């Protein structure tokens, strides 16, 4: 391979290794001391609970591990948003597993905890996945209660979703292994079946201290809401066990007896590995996103037999569209082309930019996939739509609106991978978070922002300098450069995949070599949910 390939490969492997290292720190949760304290009470850590629950030799697809990353430093942080969760196999069945992390502020809910749990419930609802809650939480984190308690997308929405899922026929099982306090007490009770671990589990609207303060009654935790109380007196819980292992064994037996779900009917053939080596992906893409590459070469290292049938190959070349299979599943792929191309009119077009013809082609292809019931995969490396007089006169906004319309109204599942830049309206057209992808992931080199860092920083600098001059301040070149650096550093920090993942704009930062795996798992999950909406595009501009 050439020198450029080797440099790309080394850089991509380095930043991928950094992702793994940061995940390893997050996986420690509240720290070894907190885990040991739990073990003294007979508790497994949340990750040990999930490992025990899931089938041996099966993959657990963790979601939202970077939630809360570098957030709330004044409160000691909130690793993984205080929740360990993802899609795992229990008794052979794909399930959403959501486990409170009692090592992080006793499992209390920060604002990001609520956002993460709602996202996980959303995934379960969209894909009709059974949900297993492993409950061990002190409830709302009181110092930030105003940011987690009362609004539409806050804590209470969790229980609304419990009710909605129940009405949809989605199985929910709650294994209570620790505290379950206040409003949180509704979660296990609104599940189909509630299991409790004797001695550690408790469910009550108000704990002993609050009961004493409110009505003057003295009651210990066990009498107030322990496993014996709720299985023998209140009837709230359905099962009582002496150990967590026995409790989780019963969860496995319950899942083992679930009826087979309906399917969406997405086509799947016998899986086949790519003929081109997937490991070469890392050498094809620059870690800085500043070099051109042929996205077809990336696609051919993800899809079965490296076979990719392009749609309108010679038209609208800055977006590549076509049909393929991933682990046997039929998919329609929409990807930004990063090489400079020449249009049929002999005009040069910049890679990563959406032109009118490419937006037009993509809109038509998305319609085709909806007609044929083929899931869509978006590979984002987009700097935005083409601007300027020529583009405006040729109707770029109209063509872009067609593409956005098709993406927004699409009824087949959409999976988005940000493999480079994700800037401006290009993020929207290529199915960013606002457009309801079933799953959305980022490579370690991803950048998500309204525009590139250099352009944004210079624009912000002009605004700030003008404001300072209006106040009569003199700005010398040295001060202007210092200001530019300050703005650039701040803006660049906000464009990283870590910043995006911490706020759940993406579900995870993945190793590029795992792209094929996450797409396949996503479509398998989506196949649990029959499509019950008719494909309608609404009004298209012409």
């Amino acid at each position: 391979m050439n020198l450029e390939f080797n440099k790309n490969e080394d850089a991509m492997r380095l930043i991928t290794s950094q992702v793994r290292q940061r995940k390893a720190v997050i996986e420690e949760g509240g720290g070894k001391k907190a885990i040991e304290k739990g073990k003294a009470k007979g508790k497994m850590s949340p990750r040990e609970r999930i490992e025990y629950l899931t089938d041996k030799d099966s993959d657990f697809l963790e979601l939202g591990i970077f939630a809360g990353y570098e957030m709330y430093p004044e409160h000691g942080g909130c690793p993984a948003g205080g929740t360990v969760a993802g899609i795992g196999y229990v008794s052979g069945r794909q399930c959403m597993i959501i486990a409170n992390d009692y090592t992080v502020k006793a499992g209390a809910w920060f604002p990001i905890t609520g956002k993460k749990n709602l996202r996980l419930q959303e995934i379960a609802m969209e894909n009709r996945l059974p949900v297993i809650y492993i409950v061990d939480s002190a409830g709302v984190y009181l110092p930030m209660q105003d940011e987690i308690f009362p609004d539409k997308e806050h804590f209470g929405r969790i229980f609304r979703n419990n009710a909605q899922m129940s009405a949809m026929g989605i199985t929910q099982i709650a294994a209570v292994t620790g505290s379950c306090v206040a409003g949180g007490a509704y979660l296990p009770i609104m599940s189909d079946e509630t299991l409790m671990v004797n001695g550690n589990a408790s469910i009550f609207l108000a704990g002993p201290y609050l009961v004493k303060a409110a009505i003057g009654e003295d009651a210990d935790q066990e009498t107030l809401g322990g496993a014996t109380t709720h299985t023998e007196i209140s009837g709230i819980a359905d099962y009582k066990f002496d150990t967590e292992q026995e409790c989780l064994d019963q969860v496995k037996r319950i899942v083992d007896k679930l009826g087979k779900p309906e399917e969406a009917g997405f086509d799947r053939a016998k899986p086949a590995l790519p003929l081109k080596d997937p490991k070469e992906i890392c050498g094809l893409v620059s870690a800085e996103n500043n070099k051109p590459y042929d996205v077809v070469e990336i696609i051919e290292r993800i899809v079965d037999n490296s076979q990719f049938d392009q749609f309108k190959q010679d038209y609208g070349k800055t977006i590549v569209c076509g049909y393929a299979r991933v682990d046997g599943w039929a998919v329609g792929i929409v990807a930004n082309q990063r090489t400079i191309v020449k249009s049929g009119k002999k005009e040069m077009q910049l890679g990563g930019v959406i032109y009118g013809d490419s937006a037009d082609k993509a809109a038509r292809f998305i319609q085709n996939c909806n007609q044929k019931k083929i899931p869509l995969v978006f590979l984002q490396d987009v700097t935005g739509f083409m601007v300027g007089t020529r583009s405006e006169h040729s109707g770029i906004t109209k063509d872009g609106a067609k593409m956005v319309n098709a993406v927004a109204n699409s009824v087949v599942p959409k999976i988005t991978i940000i493999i480079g830049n994700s800037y401006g309206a290009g993020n929207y057209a290529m199915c960013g978070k606002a457009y309801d992808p079933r799953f959305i992931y980022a490579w370690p080199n991803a950048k998500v922002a309204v525009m590139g860092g250099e352009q944004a920083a210079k624009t912000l600098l002009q605004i700030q300098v003008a404001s300072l001059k209006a106040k009569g301040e003199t700005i010398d070149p040295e001060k202007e450069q210092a200001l530019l650096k300050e703005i650039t550093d701040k803006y660049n920090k906000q464009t990283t995949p870590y910043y995006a993942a911490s706020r759940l704009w993406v579900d995870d930062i993945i190793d590029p070599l795992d792209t094929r795996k996450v797409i396949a798992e996503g479509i398998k999950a989506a196949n649990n949910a029959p499509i019950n909406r008719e494909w309608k595009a609404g009004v298209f501009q012409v």
Side-chain angles (χ1 to χ4, degrees), residues 63-68 112-117 119 433 440 498-508:
L63 300 169
I65 188 170
F66 280 103
I112 196 65
T113 315
K115 187 173 182 179
K116 178 173 177 176
N117 279 264
R119 171 60 179 154
K433 185 65 184 290
I440 179 168
Y498 299 104
Y499 194 89
S502 70
R503 287 151 182 82
L504 294 168
W505 302 346
V506 297
D507 294 317
D508 194 14

Side-chain angles (χ1 to χ4, degrees), residues 198-237:
N198 206 16
N200 284 332
S202 56
I203 301 173
F204 34 62
L205 291 179
Y209 295 123
L210 185 53
V211 167
K212 176 68 173 175
I215 63 173
E217 180 185 357
D218 287 308
D220 62 72
Q221 184 164 303
E222 201 60 35
T223 304
L224 191 61
T228 299
T229 294
H230 287 314
T231 54
E232 297 182 15
I233 300 172
S234 74
I236 279 175

Side-chain angles (χ1 to χ4, degrees), residues 242-316:
D242 289 328
T243 68
E244 291 187 1
Q245 289 83 352
E246 290 173 317
C247 179
L248 296 176
D249 285 339
Q250 178 63 23
V251 173
K252 296 178 192 180
R253 289 193 290 271
I254 294 170
V255 175
D256 181 54
K257 295 171 181 64
L258 296 181
K260 186 178 179 182
E262 292 182 62
E263 292 187 344
F266 302 130
D267 186 68
R268 192 181 193 192
K270 184 179 179 182
L273 294 172
L275 296 179
K276 293 188 176 181
D277 188 355
K279 291 179 182 175
E280 293 174 352
I281 288 174
C282 292
L284 295 170
V285 179
S286 158
E288 293 81 27
N289 304 340
N290 58 1
K291 304 279 175 57
Y293 63 88
D294 185 354
V295 76
V296 175
E297 293 291 334
I298 302 293
I299 294 168
E300 289 177 345
R301 286 163 174 79
I302 293 171
V303 301
D304 293 13
N305 291 317
S306 299
Q307 185 176 340
F308 179 55
D309 300 322
Q310 283 203 53
F311 173 79
K312 291 185 183 289
Q313 183 172 350
D314 299 319
Y315 178 75

Side-chain angles (χ1 to χ4, degrees), residues 320-333:
V320 170
C321 301
Y323 303 102
R325 291 188 182 275
V326 176
D327 197 40
W329 295 102
V331 296
I333 296 175

Side-chain angles (χ1 to χ4, degrees), residues 95-403:
C95 297
M96 174 63 75
I97 305 169
I98 303 173
N100 300 122
D101 189 347
Y102 67 85
T103 72
V104 179
K105 294 286 193 295
W109 286 52
F110 282 69
I112 196 65
T113 315
K115 187 173 182 179
K116 178 173 177 176
N117 279 264
L118 288 172
R119 171 60 179 154
L120 298 165
Q121 286 186 320
E122 178 185 48
I123 291 171
M125 293 166 82
E126 286 182 332
N127 300 291
R128 291 186 172 269
L129 295 173
V131 184
I132 299 167
Y133 303 101
I134 304 178
V135 186
D136 194 340
S137 170
V140 165
Y141 183 59
L142 287 177
M144 303 186 75
Q145 63 85 27
D146 62 317
E147 297 180 49
I148 182 59
F149 170 65
D151 211 345
K152 181 180 177 180
E153 299 295 331
H154 283 179
F155 193 49
R157 188 80 171 180
I158 302 292
F159 318 125
R160 175 264 187 194
N161 287 349
N162 288 143
Q164 292 263 307
M165 281 190 277
S166 183
M168 292 168 67
I170 296 172
T171 298
Q172 299 174 84
I173 303 164
V176 185
T177 57
S179 297
C180 191
V181 184
Y186 286 112
L187 186 144
I189 312 313
M190 296 187 77
S191 299
D192 299 337
E193 298 191 60
T194 303
L195 303 80
M196 296 184 73
V197 177
N198 206 16
N200 284 332
S202 56
I203 301 173
F204 34 62
L205 291 179
Y209 295 123
L210 185 53
V211 167
K212 176 68 173 175
I215 63 173
E217 180 185 357
D218 287 308
D220 62 72
Q221 184 164 303
E222 201 60 35
T223 304
L224 191 61
T228 299
T229 294
H230 287 314
T231 54
E232 297 182 15
I233 300 172
S234 74
I236 279 175
D238 306 304
Y239 308 90
K240 176 179 69 174
F241 303 94
D242 289 328
T243 68
E244 291 187 1
Q245 289 83 352
E246 290 173 317
C247 179
L248 296 176
D249 285 339
Q250 178 63 23
V251 173
K252 296 178 192 180
R253 289 193 290 271
I254 294 170
V255 175
D256 181 54
K257 295 171 181 64
L258 296 181
K260 186 178 179 182
E262 292 182 62
E263 292 187 344
F266 302 130
D267 186 68
R268 192 181 193 192
K270 184 179 179 182
L273 294 172
L275 296 179
K276 293 188 176 181
D277 188 355
K279 291 179 182 175
E280 293 174 352
I281 288 174
C282 292
L284 295 170
V285 179
S286 158
E288 293 81 27
N289 304 340
N290 58 1
K291 304 279 175 57
Y293 63 88
D294 185 354
V295 76
V296 175
E297 293 291 334
I298 302 293
I299 294 168
E300 289 177 345
R301 286 163 174 79
I302 293 171
V303 301
D304 293 13
N305 291 317
S306 299
Q307 185 176 340
F308 179 55
D309 300 322
Q310 283 203 53
F311 173 79
K312 291 185 183 289
Q313 183 172 350
D314 299 319
Y315 178 75
K317 295 178 184 176
T318 64
I319 290 184
V320 170
C321 301
Y323 303 102
R325 291 188 182 275
V326 176
D327 197 40
W329 295 102
V331 296
I333 296 175
V334 181
N336 300 111
Q337 178 59 280
R338 280 300 306 268
T339 59
I340 296 174
V341 299
K342 187 181 286 187
S343 73
K345 296 178 182 178
K346 310 303 180 188
E347 296 171 341
M348 301 302 289
Q349 295 183 333
L350 300 172
V353 178
I354 302 176
Y355 290 78
D357 54 357
S358 51
D360 198 43
K361 175 175 85 172
R364 172 60 187 278
F365 179 73
I366 290 164
Q367 290 184 81
N368 283 2
C369 288
N370 275 273
Q371 288 280 75
K372 297 172 182 175
K373 207 158 76 170
I374 299 173
L376 284 158
V377 174
F378 291 84
L379 301 180
Q380 279 197 18
D381 191 350
V382 58
T383 52
F385 283 85
M386 192 58 193
V387 296
T389 307
R390 179 181 290 186
S391 290
E392 296 295 352
H393 288 184
S394 64
I396 183 66
T397 310
K398 167 192 60 147
D399 295 325
K402 271 191 268 190
M403 185 177 175

Side-chain angles (χ1 to χ4, degrees), residues 27-28 31-52 101-103 136 177 200 242-245:
E27 286 171 0
E28 293 177 0
K32 293 177 181 176
K33 201 171 182 180
I35 293 172
E36 290 306 316
K37 192 175 176 183
K39 286 188 184 302
K41 297 178 181 178
K43 288 186 172 190
M44 292 186 278
S45 73
R47 292 178 188 280
E48 288 172 336
R49 289 167 175 169
I50 291 173
E51 185 180 1
Y52 185 87
D101 189 347
Y102 67 85
T103 72
D136 194 340
T177 57
N200 284 332
D242 289 328
T243 68
E244 291 187 1
Q245 289 83 352

